[in-house]
Amino acid sequence: MPIAVAGVAVLLLRSLATRQDSRPFFLTLALFALSYAGLGISMYPYIVPQSITIWRAAAPETSQIFMLFGIAVLVPLILGYTGWAYWVFRGKVRAGSGYH
């Protein structure tokens, strides 16, 4: 994990030096993801260090199934509404118009 973080950091610094547009953004996302993965790996299997494991902190199976069905209904509704909102408001703003 430390080698991957160092590699992404080097790539990030190089892309900042060359003034690329989108590459630093994605490398920063990768750096944060690797940082959280490293934290998770270093603390596994404890949620609270040395006291509560992942399995003791998990909700009962019936609660997880209930949440799964709730998410299966709500996430497509939210994504559909967001897509519809973007579709309705497409092309309403022109380049150069704004507050600054």
Side-chain angles (χ1 to χ4, degrees):
M1 189 61 63
I3 294 170
V5 169
V8 170
V10 167
L11 289 174
L12 177 62
L13 291 174
R14 285 184 183 170
S15 66
L16 287 173
T18 59
R19 300 211 180 259
Q20 296 176 351
D21 289 334
S22 62
R23 193 169 183 201
F25 174 73
F26 290 112
L27 287 171
T28 302
L29 289 178
L31 193 60
F32 274 97
L34 286 171
S35 299
Y36 279 115
L39 180 64
I41 289 169
S42 68
M43 292 182 64
Y44 183 80
Y46 295 102
I47 299 293
V48 177
Q50 307 301 326
S51 62
I52 299 177
T53 64
I54 294 170
W55 300 279
R56 287 184 55 205
E61 186 177 341
T62 54
S63 298
Q64 291 178 355
I65 291 171
F66 177 76
M67 289 300 296
L68 178 66
F69 284 117
I71 288 171
V73 170
L74 287 178
V75 168
L77 284 173
I78 291 169
L79 291 175
Y81 176 77
T82 303
W84 176 76
Y86 275 104
W87 181 261
V88 167
F89 291 106
R90 70 188 183 285
K92 305 286 186 202
V93 177
R94 303 287 178 229
S97 64
Y99 294 111
H100 39 59

